[in-house]
Amino acid sequence: MDIHHPADVRYTRIAVILHWLIAALIIFNLSLGLIMEGLHGPVRGFWIPLHMSIGMTVLILTLARICWRLTHRPPALFDGPQWEHLAAHLAHFTIYALMLGLPVTGWAIISAHPPGGPGAPHYFGLFKIPALPVLPFLNSAVQKQAHDTAVSAHTVAGYLMIGLLVLHVLAALKHQFIDRHPQFRRMSL
Ligand code: HEM
């Protein structure tokens, strides 16, 4: 049997589109997140709601991607040592967890402390992003604590995501150029 038949080594079209769309939106939001702190006034009022809207879109697309993943078996990993397969599964699982965790902690920040004025949480200017349950109704001291915890979690998740993305790209480059597996073809249309 030819185990490198293209049908065996490629992700489906839907999975490939979701992979690159989510990757682009996350990289954009990570970069924006890192410079957002230094922004003020109307510039801040433009970029922060955009950050929130893109983050909420990542959440929706990630839920779609997880539905795909649970209903389709991805192509098998290439041959390699067992530790490498274990590391790949662990990294992929953690990236999925962060793809959910980053938007949810961001959503918790604005639910515990909705910014007003031009930085108000609107989804691409179309409608107000609803608050998560409970958080808007806490007494103010607990609410402030919840807000600060969500900001810390969001920040730590952001740096973890940057670290894992670097590892993920290095691993893909290693498979392509050192092990000489057709790694890039798996995730191309
Ligand atoms: C792909 C999803 C997301 C990524 C990668 C991301 C990434 C980041 C990063 C890296 C920061 C800077 C953290 C720091 O330096 O302390 C940040 C800040 C922030 N994010 Fe997100 N974020 C995402 C989704 C969201 C969502 C969905 C919301 C709200 C609906 C949100 C709201 C915020 C807010 C309000 C801040 C400023 C926090 C502060 O007060 O310091 N984020 N984000």
Side-chain angles (χ1 to χ4, degrees), residues 25-26 29-34 36-37 44 48 51-56 58 99 102-107 109-110 115 129 147 151 154-155 158-159 161-162:
L25 295 178
I26 287 182
N29 243 19
L30 283 171
S31 320
L32 183 54
L34 294 177
M36 238 161 45
E37 291 290 283
R44 190 176 167 83
I48 290 215
H51 177 88
M52 297 171 186
S53 304
I54 289 183
M56 296 305 286
V58 168
M99 282 154 66
L102 267 162
V104 170
T105 50
W107 196 0
I109 297 174
I110 58 160
I129 299 174
H147 171 263
V151 171
H154 197 63
T155 306
Y159 283 105
M161 182 65 113
I162 293 173

Coordinates of all heavy atoms in Angstrom, one line a residue, residues 25-26 29-34 36-37 44 48 51-56 58 99 102-107 109-110 115 129 147 151 154-155 158-159 161-162, ligand 1:
L25 N -5.5 35.5 11.9 CA -6.2 36.4 12.9 C -5.5 36.4 14.3 O -5.4 37.4 14.9 CB -7.6 35.9 13.0 CG -8.5 36.1 11.8 CD1 -9.9 35.5 12.0 CD2 -8.6 37.5 11.3
I26 N -5.0 35.2 14.7 CA -4.3 35.1 16.0 C -3.0 36.0 15.9 O -2.6 36.7 16.8 CB -4.0 33.7 16.4 CG1 -5.3 33.0 16.8 CG2 -3.0 33.6 17.5 CD1 -5.2 31.6 17.3
N29 N -3.8 39.6 16.1 CA -4.3 40.0 17.5 C -3.1 39.9 18.5 O -3.1 40.8 19.4 CB -5.4 39.1 17.9 CG -6.7 39.9 18.1 OD1 -6.8 41.0 17.6 ND2 -7.6 39.4 18.9
L30 N -2.2 39.0 18.4 CA -1.1 39.0 19.3 C -0.2 40.2 19.1 O 0.2 40.9 20.1 CB -0.2 37.7 19.0 CG -0.7 36.4 19.6 CD1 0.2 35.2 19.0 CD2 -0.7 36.4 21.1
S31 N 0.0 40.6 17.8 CA 0.8 41.8 17.6 C 0.1 43.0 18.1 O 0.7 43.9 18.7 CB 1.1 41.9 16.1 OG 1.3 40.7 15.5
L32 N -1.2 43.1 17.8 CA -2.0 44.3 18.2 C -2.0 44.3 19.7 O -1.8 45.4 20.3 CB -3.4 44.2 17.6 CG -4.3 45.3 17.9 CD1 -3.7 46.6 17.5 CD2 -5.7 45.1 17.1
G33 N -2.2 43.2 20.4 CA -2.2 43.1 21.9 C -1.0 43.7 22.5 O -1.0 44.4 23.4
L34 N 0.2 43.4 21.8 CA 1.4 43.8 22.4 C 1.7 45.3 22.2 O 2.4 45.9 23.1 CB 2.6 43.0 21.8 CG 2.6 41.5 22.1 CD1 3.7 40.8 21.4 CD2 2.7 41.4 23.7
M36 N -1.0 47.6 22.0 CA -2.2 48.3 22.4 C -2.1 49.1 23.6 O -2.6 50.2 23.7 CB -3.3 47.3 22.6 CG -4.6 47.4 21.8 SD -5.5 45.9 21.8 CE -5.6 45.3 23.4
E37 N -1.3 48.6 24.6 CA -1.1 49.3 25.9 C -0.6 50.7 25.7 O -1.0 51.6 26.4 CB 0.0 48.5 26.7 CG -0.5 47.2 27.2 CD -1.6 47.3 28.3 OE1 -1.2 47.6 29.4 OE2 -2.8 47.1 27.9
R44 N -6.7 54.5 20.2 CA -7.0 53.4 21.1 C -8.4 52.9 20.9 O -8.8 51.8 20.8 CB -6.7 53.8 22.5 CG -6.8 52.7 23.5 CD -6.5 53.3 24.9 NE -6.8 52.3 25.9 CZ -6.0 51.3 26.3 NH1 -4.9 51.1 25.7 NH2 -6.4 50.4 27.2
I48 N -8.8 48.9 19.9 CA -9.2 48.0 21.0 C -10.5 47.2 20.5 O -10.6 46.0 20.6 CB -9.3 48.7 22.3 CG1 -7.9 49.0 22.8 CG2 -10.1 47.8 23.3 CD1 -7.7 48.9 24.3
H51 N -9.6 44.7 18.1 CA -8.9 43.5 18.8 C -10.0 42.6 19.3 O -9.9 41.4 19.2 CB -8.0 44.1 19.9 CG -7.4 43.0 20.7 ND1 -6.2 42.4 20.4 CD2 -7.7 42.4 21.9 CE1 -5.8 41.5 21.3 NE2 -6.8 41.5 22.2
M52 N -11.0 43.2 20.0 CA -12.1 42.4 20.6 C -12.9 41.6 19.5 O -13.2 40.4 19.7 CB -13.1 43.3 21.4 CG -12.4 44.0 22.5 SD -13.6 45.2 23.1 CE -12.7 46.1 24.3
S53 N -13.2 42.3 18.4 CA -14.0 41.7 17.3 C -13.3 40.6 16.7 O -13.8 39.5 16.4 CB -14.4 42.7 16.3 OG -15.0 43.8 16.9
I54 N -12.0 40.8 16.4 CA -11.2 39.7 15.8 C -11.0 38.5 16.8 O -11.2 37.4 16.4 CB -9.8 40.3 15.3 CG1 -10.1 41.2 14.1 CG2 -8.8 39.1 15.0 CD1 -8.9 41.8 13.5
G55 N -10.8 38.8 18.1 CA -10.8 37.8 19.1 C -12.0 36.9 19.1 O -12.0 35.7 19.2
M56 N -13.2 37.6 19.1 CA -14.5 36.9 19.1 C -14.6 36.0 17.9 O -15.2 34.9 17.9 CB -15.7 37.8 19.3 CG -15.7 38.6 20.5 SD -15.7 37.7 22.1 CE -17.3 37.0 22.1
V58 N -12.1 34.7 16.3 CA -11.3 33.5 16.5 C -12.0 32.4 17.3 O -11.9 31.2 17.0 CB -9.9 33.9 17.2 CG1 -9.2 32.7 17.7 CG2 -9.1 34.7 16.3
M99 N -6.4 28.7 22.0 CA -7.3 29.3 21.0 C -8.6 29.5 21.6 O -9.4 30.4 21.1 CB -7.4 28.3 19.8 CG -6.2 28.4 18.8 SD -6.0 26.9 17.9 CE -7.5 26.9 16.8
L102 N -7.6 32.2 25.1 CA -7.3 33.6 24.9 C -8.6 34.4 24.7 O -8.8 35.4 25.3 CB -6.4 33.8 23.7 CG -4.9 33.8 24.1 CD1 -4.0 33.5 22.9 CD2 -4.6 35.2 24.6
P103 N -9.5 34.0 23.7 CA -10.7 34.8 23.6 C -11.6 34.8 24.8 O -12.2 35.9 25.2 CB -11.5 34.1 22.4 CG -10.5 33.3 21.7 CD -9.4 33.0 22.7
V104 N -11.7 33.7 25.5 CA -12.6 33.6 26.7 C -12.1 34.6 27.8 O -12.9 35.3 28.4 CB -12.8 32.2 27.2 CG1 -13.5 32.2 28.5 CG2 -13.6 31.4 26.1
T105 N -10.7 34.6 28.1 CA -10.2 35.5 29.1 C -10.4 36.9 28.7 O -10.6 37.8 29.5 CB -8.8 35.1 29.5 OG1 -8.0 35.1 28.3 CG2 -8.6 33.9 30.2
G106 N -10.2 37.2 27.4 CA -10.4 38.6 26.9 C -11.9 39.0 27.1 O -12.2 40.1 27.5
W107 N -12.8 38.1 26.8 CA -14.2 38.3 26.9 C -14.5 38.6 28.4 O -15.3 39.4 28.8 CB -15.0 37.1 26.4 CG -16.4 37.3 26.1 CD1 -17.2 38.4 26.3 CD2 -17.3 36.3 25.6 NE1 -18.5 38.2 26.0 CE2 -18.6 36.9 25.5 CE3 -17.2 35.0 25.3 CZ2 -19.7 36.2 25.1 CZ3 -18.3 34.3 24.8 CH2 -19.5 34.9 24.7
I109 N -12.4 39.9 30.6 CA -11.9 41.2 31.0 C -13.0 42.3 30.7 O -13.3 43.1 31.6 CB -10.7 41.6 30.1 CG1 -9.5 40.7 30.3 CG2 -10.3 43.1 30.4 CD1 -8.3 40.9 29.4
I110 N -13.6 42.2 29.5 CA -14.6 43.3 29.2 C -15.9 43.1 29.9 O -16.7 44.0 30.1 CB -14.8 43.5 27.7 CG1 -15.2 42.3 27.0 CG2 -13.5 44.1 27.0 CD1 -15.9 42.5 25.6
P115 N -15.4 48.7 28.9 CA -14.9 50.0 28.6 C -16.0 50.8 28.0 O -16.8 50.3 27.2 CB -13.8 49.8 27.7 CG -13.8 48.4 27.2 CD -14.8 47.6 28.1
I129 N -21.1 43.5 22.1 CA -20.7 42.1 22.5 C -21.3 41.9 23.8 O -21.1 42.6 24.8 CB -19.2 42.0 22.6 CG1 -18.5 42.3 21.2 CG2 -18.8 40.6 23.1 CD1 -17.0 42.3 21.2
H147 N -11.6 41.0 37.2 CA -11.0 41.7 36.0 C -9.5 41.5 36.0 O -8.9 41.2 35.0 CB -11.4 43.2 36.1 CG -10.7 44.0 35.1 ND1 -9.6 44.8 35.4 CD2 -11.0 44.2 33.8 CE1 -9.2 45.4 34.3 NE2 -10.0 45.1 33.3
V151 N -7.1 39.7 33.2 CA -6.0 40.4 32.5 C -4.8 39.6 32.6 O -4.1 39.3 31.6 CB -5.8 41.8 33.0 CG1 -4.6 42.4 32.4 CG2 -7.0 42.7 32.7
H154 N -5.0 36.4 30.6 CA -5.0 36.8 29.1 C -3.5 37.0 28.7 O -3.1 36.6 27.6 CB -5.9 38.0 28.9 CG -6.3 38.3 27.5 ND1 -7.1 37.5 26.8 CD2 -6.0 39.4 26.7 CE1 -7.3 38.0 25.6 NE2 -6.6 39.1 25.5
T155 N -2.8 37.7 29.6 CA -1.4 38.1 29.2 C -0.5 36.8 29.2 O 0.2 36.6 28.3 CB -0.8 39.0 30.3 OG1 -1.7 40.2 30.4 CG2 0.6 39.5 29.9
G158 N -1.3 34.8 26.2 CA -0.7 35.4 25.0 C 0.8 35.0 24.9 O 1.2 34.6 23.8
Y159 N 1.5 35.1 26.0 CA 3.0 34.8 25.9 C 3.2 33.3 25.6 O 4.1 32.9 24.9 CB 3.7 35.3 27.1 CG 4.0 36.8 27.0 CD1 3.2 37.6 27.8 CD2 4.9 37.3 26.1 CE1 3.4 39.0 27.7 CE2 5.1 38.7 26.0 CZ 4.3 39.5 26.8 OH 4.5 40.9 26.7
M161 N 1.1 31.4 24.0 CA 0.8 31.2 22.6 C 2.0 31.6 21.7 O 2.3 30.8 20.8 CB -0.5 32.0 22.2 CG -1.0 31.8 20.8 SD -1.5 30.1 20.5 CE -3.3 30.4 20.2
I162 N 2.6 32.7 22.0 CA 3.8 33.1 21.2 C 4.8 32.0 21.2 O 5.4 31.6 20.2 CB 4.3 34.5 21.6 CG1 3.3 35.6 21.4 CG2 5.7 34.8 20.9 CD1 3.7 36.9 22.0
Ligands
HEM1 C1 -7.1 35.4 19.3 C2 -7.6 35.9 20.4 C3 -6.8 36.9 21.2 C4 -5.4 37.1 21.3 C5 -4.3 36.4 20.6 C6 -5.2 38.3 22.2 C7 -4.0 38.8 22.6 C8 -3.8 39.8 23.5 C9 -2.5 40.3 24.0 C10 -1.2 39.7 23.6 C11 -2.8 41.3 24.8 C12 -1.7 42.1 25.6 C13 -1.6 41.6 27.0 C14 -0.6 42.4 27.8 O1 0.4 42.9 27.3 O2 -0.8 42.6 29.0 C15 -4.2 41.5 24.9 C16 -4.8 42.5 25.6 C17 -6.2 42.7 25.7 N1 -7.2 41.9 25.1 FE1 -6.8 40.3 23.9 N2 -6.5 38.7 22.7 C18 -7.4 37.9 22.1 C19 -8.8 38.0 22.2 C20 -9.5 39.0 22.9 C21 -10.9 39.2 23.1 C22 -12.0 38.2 22.5 C23 -11.1 40.3 23.8 C24 -12.4 40.9 24.3 C25 -13.6 40.5 23.8 C26 -9.8 40.8 24.2 C27 -9.6 41.9 25.0 C28 -8.4 42.4 25.4 C29 -8.2 43.6 26.3 C30 -9.4 44.4 26.9 C31 -6.9 43.8 26.5 C32 -6.2 44.8 27.3 C33 -5.9 44.2 28.7 C34 -5.4 45.2 29.7 O3 -6.2 45.9 30.2 O4 -4.1 45.2 29.8 N3 -8.8 40.0 23.7 N4 -4.8 40.6 24.1

